[in-house]
């Protein structure tokens, strides 16, 4: 919302249905998330406030909500076209010894074999690299946020 309010064009690609959450609130969340994710989020979230934000998000002019799994090919196409890419995902899926750990990362590069990103985690890992195949699988369950200046926005 902040980027859109500052005149940026925003695309959100996610299996999370913001329209349904704006309308149904916690009833939608219980059906969308696994029980462990629901309980983790429940203990650390203000869902009433988030539902109000979702209602504003759904009505925003500069935000395109794309309700489908994010794909690496879409991410790559937008990076090449000059879009900033931020993902919200469960980074514990890169390391099976960790517990559920959702946060945002900024994608910095994609090549034939890896995806590079800045991970603010605990501890932070600048320029972290993950294999394309593994990253694509984790991304498909996450959320992709693409941001571009209105002046530079192309047909991508």
């Amino acid at each position: 919302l902040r980027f859109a309010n500052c005149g940026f064009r925003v695309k959100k690609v996610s299996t999370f249905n913001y329209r349904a959450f704006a309308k149904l609130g916690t009833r939608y969340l219980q059906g969308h998330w696994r029980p462990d994710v629901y309980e983790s989020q429940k203990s650390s979230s203000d869902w009433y406030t988030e539902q109000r934000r979702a209602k504003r998000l759904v009505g925003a002019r500069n935000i395109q909500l794309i309700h489908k799994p994010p794909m690496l090919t879409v991410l790559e196409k937008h990076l090449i076209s000059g879009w900033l890419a931020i993902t919200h995902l469960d980074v514990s899926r890169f390391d099976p010894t960790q517990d559920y750990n959702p946060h945002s990362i900024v994608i910095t590069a994609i090549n034939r074999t890896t995806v590079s990103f800045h991970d603010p985690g605990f501890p932070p890992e600048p320029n972290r690299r993950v294999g394309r195949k593994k990253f694509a699988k984790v991304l498909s369950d996450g959320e992709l946020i693409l941001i571009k200046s209105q002046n530079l926005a192309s047909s991508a």
Side-chain angles (χ1 to χ4, degrees), residues 7-10 81-84 146-150 152-154 156:
F8 290 90
R9 184 173 171 204
V10 179
S81 297
W83 290 71
L84 171 67
L146 301 160
I147 304 162
K148 192 165 191 181
S149 169
Q150 289 281 45
L152 302 174
S154 68

Side-chain angles (χ1 to χ4, degrees), residues 36-140:
D36 63 319
V37 173
Y38 180 85
E39 289 303 321
S40 174
Q41 292 293 339
K42 182 179 180 179
S43 67
S44 62
S45 300
D46 176 355
W47 287 344
Y48 177 75
T49 299
E50 293 306 319
Q51 186 178 12
R52 282 192 331 221
R53 286 182 181 142
K55 288 176 183 177
R56 290 195 343 248
L57 184 72
V58 167
R61 283 183 339 155
N62 295 340
I63 300 176
Q64 180 182 359
L65 299 174
I66 302 167
H67 184 228
K68 65 181 184 181
M71 296 176 56
L72 189 58
T73 54
V74 171
L75 169 57
E76 194 165 30
K77 177 180 110 174
H78 283 80
L79 276 181
I80 290 168
S81 297
W83 290 71
L84 171 67
I86 300 170
T87 64
H88 298 303
L89 44 80
D90 177 6
V91 294
S92 73
R93 295 195 49 215
F94 297 135
D95 179 358
T97 64
Q98 295 180 354
D99 292 329
Y100 174 68
N101 186 11
H103 60 262
S104 301
I105 60 175
V106 177
I107 308 302
T108 56
I110 300 176
N111 64 34
R112 284 189 354 231
T113 58
T114 62
V115 176
S116 301
F117 53 93
H118 294 310
D119 182 349
F122 297 105
E125 291 185 63
N127 298 311
R128 183 174 178 183
R129 288 182 175 81
V130 172
R132 282 177 68 103
K133 189 174 183 176
K134 181 172 218 107
F135 190 90
K137 183 175 174 128
V138 173
L139 175 64
S140 70

